[in-house]
Amino acid sequence: MTTIFTEETRLRAREIIARYPADRSRSALLPLLHLVQSEEGYVSPAGVEFCAEVLGLNKAQVGAVATFYTMYKRKPTGDYLVSVCTNTMCDVLGGQVVYDTLAEHLGVGHEETTADGKITLEHAECLAACDYGPVMTVNYDFFDNVEPQGALGVVQELQAGGRPMPTRGARLCTLKEMAVQLAGFADERDGAVADGGPGEPSLRGLRLAEQHGISVPGYDPKTPIRSKAEADRAAAEAKAEAEKPAPTPEKAPEPAKADATGTPAKADTAGNAGAAEPATPAAASGSTAPDVTAPDDKSPQVRTAETRQPDARTAVADAPGTKVPTDGPAPAPRDARAAEAAGAAANPPAGDGKPAGDAAGAQERNLKDAEAGTDADGADPADANGTGVRK
């Protein structure tokens, strides 16, 4: 096929695909879409065809992904994509006023580009920086706590050819340069990497925790994360331990016998079974309901039922004394046929798909009237409007 994509783009495409297993090459579609956007400034039909060709997909599969994510633009976009958050938090703090100010200055609306092709303006549903609201981004770099005049100053500097410094991050780059980074390639420009730490709004929760002495108990950040094999082995050992037979209970003590004088031995007036005997579950928890352990392997139906919010008459799953349902044998064909027959008998048969009130008699009458050349009231349809002009 013939496309505008350069040989460098094709080499980068092969490098992206090589990052994934051979039988999982379609996972490279997302970075490939960013790659073609870095070439054209948007994902064009040629870009969709290119991705489909190199991945062995059809264009419908690629187009379905490209139209799902808002970062993939389907029409030419300016060098600088200015996104203003107008979601709830930023809107309350003045985000909509910021957007309206920029729209009036640029003379464009949502997802529209200025005549010189330099700036595209858009509403952003949420930029995930509520603690810095109202916020806007330029090619996904943040400008925090913006006001209408401050946002207007950023846009005017872009129009003049400058690259204003974002609140957080390195200096700005164009949308095509940003797309290269999103495709997984390093930004080699001078000053592309900037040092910086989190701002005070993001650290507010940590400050409050330190002030009030709040911490996570027993947490060791150096605890290694077990592999799946180790986790499975530990689970198997725990299951085997749980399935071991319970130890045989000790024989109950015999009733106290009378001493040599004929006086019975004194019973424990406190009701204890003896100092060496452990307390019973009822004495420990105050409940006489037997503890029921849920099965380790539960059916999807049981797991789904356990996630639902029980009402006042439904016992909480796995609660003491609750019988947890388990999968039973499938019904016999005879039982299934009997249930089907009972259901068919209890419900009227389905209709022929006609709308409600569309009786067969009225249909037949209308059909006969049409064949006879008259309306339902006997009038000639050729003069239905009373002017002699056939409809």
PDB file of all heavy atoms in Angstrom, residues 230-261:
ATOM      1  N   GLU A 230       4.837 -19.309  44.133  1.00  0.00           N
ATOM      2  CA  GLU A 230       4.967 -19.309  45.594  1.00  0.00           C
ATOM      3  C   GLU A 230       3.621 -19.128  46.268  1.00  0.00           C
ATOM      4  O   GLU A 230       3.329 -19.777  47.284  1.00  0.00           O
ATOM      5  CB  GLU A 230       5.937 -18.205  46.017  1.00  0.00           C
ATOM      6  CG  GLU A 230       7.375 -18.445  45.583  1.00  0.00           C
ATOM      7  CD  GLU A 230       8.259 -17.240  45.862  1.00  0.00           C
ATOM      8  OE1 GLU A 230       7.723 -16.121  45.983  1.00  0.00           O
ATOM      9  OE2 GLU A 230       9.476 -17.433  45.964  1.00  0.00           O
ATOM     10  N   ALA A 231       2.796 -18.255  45.725  1.00  0.00           N
ATOM     11  CA  ALA A 231       1.478 -18.035  46.308  1.00  0.00           C
ATOM     12  C   ALA A 231       0.614 -19.291  46.196  1.00  0.00           C
ATOM     13  O   ALA A 231      -0.104 -19.657  47.130  1.00  0.00           O
ATOM     14  CB  ALA A 231       0.789 -16.851  45.624  1.00  0.00           C
ATOM     15  N   ASP A 232       0.688 -19.965  45.041  1.00  0.00           N
ATOM     16  CA  ASP A 232      -0.085 -21.196  44.867  1.00  0.00           C
ATOM     17  C   ASP A 232       0.390 -22.282  45.839  1.00  0.00           C
ATOM     18  O   ASP A 232      -0.405 -23.038  46.392  1.00  0.00           O
ATOM     19  CB  ASP A 232       0.017 -21.692  43.425  1.00  0.00           C
ATOM     20  CG  ASP A 232      -0.699 -20.771  42.448  1.00  0.00           C
ATOM     21  OD1 ASP A 232      -1.519 -19.965  42.904  1.00  0.00           O
ATOM     22  OD2 ASP A 232      -0.415 -20.856  41.241  1.00  0.00           O
ATOM     23  N   ARG A 233       1.711 -22.371  46.028  1.00  0.00           N
ATOM     24  CA  ARG A 233       2.243 -23.373  46.934  1.00  0.00           C
ATOM     25  C   ARG A 233       1.801 -23.096  48.372  1.00  0.00           C
ATOM     26  O   ARG A 233       1.409 -24.008  49.108  1.00  0.00           O
ATOM     27  CB  ARG A 233       3.771 -23.400  46.838  1.00  0.00           C
ATOM     28  CG  ARG A 233       4.414 -24.495  47.692  1.00  0.00           C
ATOM     29  CD  ARG A 233       5.876 -24.707  47.345  1.00  0.00           C
ATOM     30  NE  ARG A 233       6.655 -23.488  47.442  1.00  0.00           N
ATOM     31  CZ  ARG A 233       7.115 -22.796  46.390  1.00  0.00           C
ATOM     32  NH1 ARG A 233       6.859 -23.218  45.148  1.00  0.00           N
ATOM     33  NH2 ARG A 233       7.832 -21.707  46.562  1.00  0.00           N
ATOM     34  N   ALA A 234       1.834 -21.824  48.777  1.00  0.00           N
ATOM     35  CA  ALA A 234       1.399 -21.469  50.123  1.00  0.00           C
ATOM     36  C   ALA A 234      -0.089 -21.758  50.313  1.00  0.00           C
ATOM     37  O   ALA A 234      -0.518 -22.228  51.369  1.00  0.00           O
ATOM     38  CB  ALA A 234       1.704 -19.998  50.406  1.00  0.00           C
ATOM     39  N   ALA A 235      -0.882 -21.494  49.265  1.00  0.00           N
ATOM     40  CA  ALA A 235      -2.315 -21.775  49.367  1.00  0.00           C
ATOM     41  C   ALA A 235      -2.580 -23.271  49.473  1.00  0.00           C
ATOM     42  O   ALA A 235      -3.456 -23.708  50.225  1.00  0.00           O
ATOM     43  CB  ALA A 235      -3.039 -21.188  48.154  1.00  0.00           C
ATOM     44  N   ALA A 236      -1.802 -24.074  48.722  1.00  0.00           N
ATOM     45  CA  ALA A 236      -1.975 -25.529  48.795  1.00  0.00           C
ATOM     46  C   ALA A 236      -1.600 -26.056  50.175  1.00  0.00           C
ATOM     47  O   ALA A 236      -2.278 -26.934  50.734  1.00  0.00           O
ATOM     48  CB  ALA A 236      -1.133 -26.202  47.715  1.00  0.00           C
ATOM     49  N   GLU A 237      -0.533 -25.508  50.754  1.00  0.00           N
ATOM     50  CA  GLU A 237      -0.133 -25.937  52.096  1.00  0.00           C
ATOM     51  C   GLU A 237      -1.188 -25.562  53.134  1.00  0.00           C
ATOM     52  O   GLU A 237      -1.507 -26.345  54.032  1.00  0.00           O
ATOM     53  CB  GLU A 237       1.212 -25.328  52.456  1.00  0.00           C
ATOM     54  CG  GLU A 237       2.378 -25.841  51.616  1.00  0.00           C
ATOM     55  CD  GLU A 237       3.671 -25.101  51.905  1.00  0.00           C
ATOM     56  OE1 GLU A 237       3.618 -24.129  52.685  1.00  0.00           O
ATOM     57  OE2 GLU A 237       4.715 -25.481  51.343  1.00  0.00           O
ATOM     58  N   ALA A 238      -1.739 -24.355  52.998  1.00  0.00           N
ATOM     59  CA  ALA A 238      -2.781 -23.928  53.939  1.00  0.00           C
ATOM     60  C   ALA A 238      -4.029 -24.793  53.804  1.00  0.00           C
ATOM     61  O   ALA A 238      -4.672 -25.145  54.800  1.00  0.00           O
ATOM     62  CB  ALA A 238      -3.123 -22.459  53.707  1.00  0.00           C
ATOM     63  N   LYS A 239      -4.364 -25.153  52.574  1.00  0.00           N
ATOM     64  CA  LYS A 239      -5.536 -26.006  52.361  1.00  0.00           C
ATOM     65  C   LYS A 239      -5.318 -27.390  52.957  1.00  0.00           C
ATOM     66  O   LYS A 239      -6.205 -27.966  53.583  1.00  0.00           O
ATOM     67  CB  LYS A 239      -5.829 -26.098  50.871  1.00  0.00           C
ATOM     68  CG  LYS A 239      -7.061 -26.914  50.541  1.00  0.00           C
ATOM     69  CD  LYS A 239      -7.335 -26.901  49.048  1.00  0.00           C
ATOM     70  CE  LYS A 239      -8.584 -27.720  48.724  1.00  0.00           C
ATOM     71  NZ  LYS A 239      -8.860 -27.744  47.264  1.00  0.00           N
ATOM     72  N   ALA A 240      -4.101 -27.955  52.744  1.00  0.00           N
ATOM     73  CA  ALA A 240      -3.803 -29.278  53.299  1.00  0.00           C
ATOM     74  C   ALA A 240      -3.845 -29.252  54.819  1.00  0.00           C
ATOM     75  O   ALA A 240      -4.324 -30.192  55.459  1.00  0.00           O
ATOM     76  CB  ALA A 240      -2.433 -29.747  52.804  1.00  0.00           C
ATOM     77  N   GLU A 241      -3.355 -28.153  55.402  1.00  0.00           N
ATOM     78  CA  GLU A 241      -3.385 -28.028  56.854  1.00  0.00           C
ATOM     79  C   GLU A 241      -4.818 -27.957  57.367  1.00  0.00           C
ATOM     80  O   GLU A 241      -5.158 -28.539  58.407  1.00  0.00           O
ATOM     81  CB  GLU A 241      -2.608 -26.782  57.280  1.00  0.00           C
ATOM     82  CG  GLU A 241      -2.460 -26.598  58.782  1.00  0.00           C
ATOM     83  CD  GLU A 241      -1.560 -27.652  59.419  1.00  0.00           C
ATOM     84  OE1 GLU A 241      -0.711 -28.229  58.695  1.00  0.00           O
ATOM     85  OE2 GLU A 241      -1.712 -27.881  60.630  1.00  0.00           O
ATOM     86  N   ALA A 242      -5.669 -27.262  56.617  1.00  0.00           N
ATOM     87  CA  ALA A 242      -7.060 -27.126  57.047  1.00  0.00           C
ATOM     88  C   ALA A 242      -7.823 -28.435  56.919  1.00  0.00           C
ATOM     89  O   ALA A 242      -8.800 -28.671  57.634  1.00  0.00           O
ATOM     90  CB  ALA A 242      -7.756 -26.032  56.234  1.00  0.00           C
ATOM     91  N   GLU A 243      -7.404 -29.300  55.993  1.00  0.00           N
ATOM     92  CA  GLU A 243      -8.110 -30.559  55.766  1.00  0.00           C
ATOM     93  C   GLU A 243      -7.653 -31.675  56.693  1.00  0.00           C
ATOM     94  O   GLU A 243      -8.187 -32.785  56.638  1.00  0.00           O
ATOM     95  CB  GLU A 243      -7.928 -30.990  54.309  1.00  0.00           C
ATOM     96  CG  GLU A 243      -8.644 -30.085  53.313  1.00  0.00           C
ATOM     97  CD  GLU A 243      -8.376 -30.474  51.875  1.00  0.00           C
ATOM     98  OE1 GLU A 243      -7.465 -31.321  51.667  1.00  0.00           O
ATOM     99  OE2 GLU A 243      -9.049 -29.941  50.982  1.00  0.00           O
ATOM    100  N   LYS A 244      -6.660 -31.418  57.523  1.00  0.00           N
ATOM    101  CA  LYS A 244      -6.220 -32.446  58.468  1.00  0.00           C
ATOM    102  C   LYS A 244      -7.351 -32.756  59.449  1.00  0.00           C
ATOM    103  O   LYS A 244      -8.085 -31.861  59.877  1.00  0.00           O
ATOM    104  CB  LYS A 244      -4.986 -31.963  59.236  1.00  0.00           C
ATOM    105  CG  LYS A 244      -3.707 -31.964  58.417  1.00  0.00           C
ATOM    106  CD  LYS A 244      -2.534 -31.549  59.288  1.00  0.00           C
ATOM    107  CE  LYS A 244      -1.231 -31.576  58.488  1.00  0.00           C
ATOM    108  NZ  LYS A 244      -0.071 -31.165  59.323  1.00  0.00           N
ATOM    109  N   PRO A 245      -7.480 -34.050  59.832  1.00  0.00           N
ATOM    110  CA  PRO A 245      -8.549 -34.389  60.783  1.00  0.00           C
ATOM    111  C   PRO A 245      -8.313 -33.728  62.131  1.00  0.00           C
ATOM    112  O   PRO A 245      -7.171 -33.567  62.581  1.00  0.00           O
ATOM    113  CB  PRO A 245      -8.470 -35.919  60.883  1.00  0.00           C
ATOM    114  CG  PRO A 245      -7.071 -36.254  60.443  1.00  0.00           C
ATOM    115  CD  PRO A 245      -6.707 -35.227  59.409  1.00  0.00           C
ATOM    116  N   ALA A 246      -9.397 -33.330  62.743  1.00  0.00           N
ATOM    117  CA  ALA A 246      -9.297 -32.664  64.036  1.00  0.00           C
ATOM    118  C   ALA A 246      -8.825 -33.661  65.097  1.00  0.00           C
ATOM    119  O   ALA A 246      -9.141 -34.852  65.028  1.00  0.00           O
ATOM    120  CB  ALA A 246     -10.653 -32.090  64.442  1.00  0.00           C
ATOM    121  N   PRO A 247      -8.042 -33.224  66.059  1.00  0.00           N
ATOM    122  CA  PRO A 247      -7.580 -34.134  67.111  1.00  0.00           C
ATOM    123  C   PRO A 247      -8.743 -34.660  67.947  1.00  0.00           C
ATOM    124  O   PRO A 247      -9.753 -33.975  68.143  1.00  0.00           O
ATOM    125  CB  PRO A 247      -6.638 -33.258  67.941  1.00  0.00           C
ATOM    126  CG  PRO A 247      -7.067 -31.857  67.653  1.00  0.00           C
ATOM    127  CD  PRO A 247      -7.556 -31.859  66.243  1.00  0.00           C
ATOM    128  N   THR A 248      -8.602 -35.904  68.406  1.00  0.00           N
ATOM    129  CA  THR A 248      -9.655 -36.530  69.213  1.00  0.00           C
ATOM    130  C   THR A 248      -9.770 -35.808  70.544  1.00  0.00           C
ATOM    131  O   THR A 248      -8.764 -35.600  71.228  1.00  0.00           O
ATOM    132  CB  THR A 248      -9.333 -38.009  69.457  1.00  0.00           C
ATOM    133  OG1 THR A 248      -9.146 -38.642  68.192  1.00  0.00           O
ATOM    134  CG2 THR A 248     -10.461 -38.688  70.224  1.00  0.00           C
ATOM    135  N   PRO A 249     -10.958 -35.388  70.935  1.00  0.00           N
ATOM    136  CA  PRO A 249     -11.106 -34.667  72.214  1.00  0.00           C
ATOM    137  C   PRO A 249     -10.796 -35.581  73.391  1.00  0.00           C
ATOM    138  O   PRO A 249     -11.015 -36.796  73.347  1.00  0.00           O
ATOM    139  CB  PRO A 249     -12.563 -34.217  72.213  1.00  0.00           C
ATOM    140  CG  PRO A 249     -13.243 -35.168  71.280  1.00  0.00           C
ATOM    141  CD  PRO A 249     -12.234 -35.527  70.227  1.00  0.00           C
ATOM    142  N   GLU A 250     -10.263 -35.000  74.424  1.00  0.00           N
ATOM    143  CA  GLU A 250      -9.945 -35.773  75.615  1.00  0.00           C
ATOM    144  C   GLU A 250     -11.211 -36.258  76.299  1.00  0.00           C
ATOM    145  O   GLU A 250     -12.271 -35.628  76.200  1.00  0.00           O
ATOM    146  CB  GLU A 250      -9.138 -34.905  76.590  1.00  0.00           C
ATOM    147  CG  GLU A 250      -7.779 -34.488  76.052  1.00  0.00           C
ATOM    148  CD  GLU A 250      -7.008 -33.663  77.061  1.00  0.00           C
ATOM    149  OE1 GLU A 250      -7.564 -33.472  78.164  1.00  0.00           O
ATOM    150  OE2 GLU A 250      -5.886 -33.236  76.745  1.00  0.00           O
ATOM    151  N   LYS A 251     -11.068 -37.389  76.968  1.00  0.00           N
ATOM    152  CA  LYS A 251     -12.212 -37.972  77.658  1.00  0.00           C
ATOM    153  C   LYS A 251     -12.673 -37.047  78.777  1.00  0.00           C
ATOM    154  O   LYS A 251     -11.865 -36.507  79.524  1.00  0.00           O
ATOM    155  CB  LYS A 251     -11.828 -39.339  78.220  1.00  0.00           C
ATOM    156  CG  LYS A 251     -13.011 -40.103  78.798  1.00  0.00           C
ATOM    157  CD  LYS A 251     -12.577 -41.470  79.262  1.00  0.00           C
ATOM    158  CE  LYS A 251     -13.773 -42.229  79.850  1.00  0.00           C
ATOM    159  NZ  LYS A 251     -13.351 -43.579  80.319  1.00  0.00           N
ATOM    160  N   ALA A 252     -13.968 -36.890  78.847  1.00  0.00           N
ATOM    161  CA  ALA A 252     -14.523 -36.009  79.887  1.00  0.00           C
ATOM    162  C   ALA A 252     -14.212 -36.566  81.255  1.00  0.00           C
ATOM    163  O   ALA A 252     -14.212 -37.785  81.456  1.00  0.00           O
ATOM    164  CB  ALA A 252     -16.031 -35.866  79.713  1.00  0.00           C
ATOM    165  N   PRO A 253     -13.949 -35.728  82.237  1.00  0.00           N
ATOM    166  CA  PRO A 253     -13.657 -36.217  83.601  1.00  0.00           C
ATOM    167  C   PRO A 253     -14.863 -36.895  84.212  1.00  0.00           C
ATOM    168  O   PRO A 253     -16.009 -36.526  83.951  1.00  0.00           O
ATOM    169  CB  PRO A 253     -13.271 -34.941  84.350  1.00  0.00           C
ATOM    170  CG  PRO A 253     -13.929 -33.839  83.577  1.00  0.00           C
ATOM    171  CD  PRO A 253     -13.918 -34.268  82.153  1.00  0.00           C
ATOM    172  N   GLU A 254     -14.578 -37.917  84.983  1.00  0.00           N
ATOM    173  CA  GLU A 254     -15.651 -38.656  85.650  1.00  0.00           C
ATOM    174  C   GLU A 254     -16.250 -37.799  86.764  1.00  0.00           C
ATOM    175  O   GLU A 254     -15.596 -36.912  87.313  1.00  0.00           O
ATOM    176  CB  GLU A 254     -15.103 -39.951  86.216  1.00  0.00           C
ATOM    177  CG  GLU A 254     -14.601 -40.910  85.136  1.00  0.00           C
ATOM    178  CD  GLU A 254     -14.080 -42.191  85.751  1.00  0.00           C
ATOM    179  OE1 GLU A 254     -14.111 -42.303  87.004  1.00  0.00           O
ATOM    180  OE2 GLU A 254     -13.656 -43.074  84.987  1.00  0.00           O
ATOM    181  N   PRO A 255     -17.509 -38.114  87.123  1.00  0.00           N
ATOM    182  CA  PRO A 255     -18.127 -37.339  88.228  1.00  0.00           C
ATOM    183  C   PRO A 255     -17.349 -37.533  89.522  1.00  0.00           C
ATOM    184  O   PRO A 255     -16.726 -38.551  89.751  1.00  0.00           O
ATOM    185  CB  PRO A 255     -19.531 -37.939  88.323  1.00  0.00           C
ATOM    186  CG  PRO A 255     -19.765 -38.582  86.998  1.00  0.00           C
ATOM    187  CD  PRO A 255     -18.435 -39.037  86.506  1.00  0.00           C
ATOM    188  N   ALA A 256     -17.390 -36.525  90.333  1.00  0.00           N
ATOM    189  CA  ALA A 256     -16.650 -36.584  91.600  1.00  0.00           C
ATOM    190  C   ALA A 256     -17.207 -37.672  92.494  1.00  0.00           C
ATOM    191  O   ALA A 256     -18.429 -37.870  92.575  1.00  0.00           O
ATOM    192  CB  ALA A 256     -16.726 -35.233  92.302  1.00  0.00           C
ATOM    193  N   LYS A 257     -16.321 -38.401  93.118  1.00  0.00           N
ATOM    194  CA  LYS A 257     -16.716 -39.473  94.029  1.00  0.00           C
ATOM    195  C   LYS A 257     -16.662 -38.984  95.488  1.00  0.00           C
ATOM    196  O   LYS A 257     -15.939 -38.051  95.808  1.00  0.00           O
ATOM    197  CB  LYS A 257     -15.798 -40.680  93.855  1.00  0.00           C
ATOM    198  CG  LYS A 257     -15.889 -41.305  92.468  1.00  0.00           C
ATOM    199  CD  LYS A 257     -14.965 -42.504  92.353  1.00  0.00           C
ATOM    200  CE  LYS A 257     -15.063 -43.142  90.974  1.00  0.00           C
ATOM    201  NZ  LYS A 257     -14.152 -44.303  90.832  1.00  0.00           N
ATOM    202  N   ALA A 258     -17.393 -39.673  96.317  1.00  0.00           N
ATOM    203  CA  ALA A 258     -17.407 -39.320  97.737  1.00  0.00           C
ATOM    204  C   ALA A 258     -16.094 -39.707  98.376  1.00  0.00           C
ATOM    205  O   ALA A 258     -15.446 -40.668  97.972  1.00  0.00           O
ATOM    206  CB  ALA A 258     -18.573 -40.015  98.438  1.00  0.00           C
ATOM    207  N   ASP A 259     -15.689 -38.931  99.355  1.00  0.00           N
ATOM    208  CA  ASP A 259     -14.447 -39.247 100.043  1.00  0.00           C
ATOM    209  C   ASP A 259     -14.685 -40.302 101.110  1.00  0.00           C
ATOM    210  O   ASP A 259     -15.772 -40.882 101.217  1.00  0.00           O
ATOM    211  CB  ASP A 259     -13.843 -37.973 100.648  1.00  0.00           C
ATOM    212  CG  ASP A 259     -14.819 -37.296 101.601  1.00  0.00           C
ATOM    213  OD1 ASP A 259     -15.819 -37.947 101.958  1.00  0.00           O
ATOM    214  OD2 ASP A 259     -14.568 -36.126 101.960  1.00  0.00           O
ATOM    215  N   ALA A 260     -13.667 -40.547 101.936  1.00  0.00           N
ATOM    216  CA  ALA A 260     -13.756 -41.629 102.916  1.00  0.00           C
ATOM    217  C   ALA A 260     -14.850 -41.385 103.942  1.00  0.00           C
ATOM    218  O   ALA A 260     -15.392 -42.316 104.531  1.00  0.00           O
ATOM    219  CB  ALA A 260     -12.407 -41.810 103.619  1.00  0.00           C
ATOM    220  N   THR A 261     -15.184 -40.134 104.158  1.00  0.00           N
ATOM    221  CA  THR A 261     -16.213 -39.834 105.170  1.00  0.00           C
ATOM    222  C   THR A 261     -17.607 -39.894 104.592  1.00  0.00           C
ATOM    223  O   THR A 261     -18.589 -39.642 105.293  1.00  0.00           O
ATOM    224  CB  THR A 261     -15.960 -38.435 105.746  1.00  0.00           C
ATOM    225  OG1 THR A 261     -16.069 -37.476 104.693  1.00  0.00           O
ATOM    226  CG2 THR A 261     -14.581 -38.348 106.374  1.00  0.00           C
TER     227      THR A 261
END
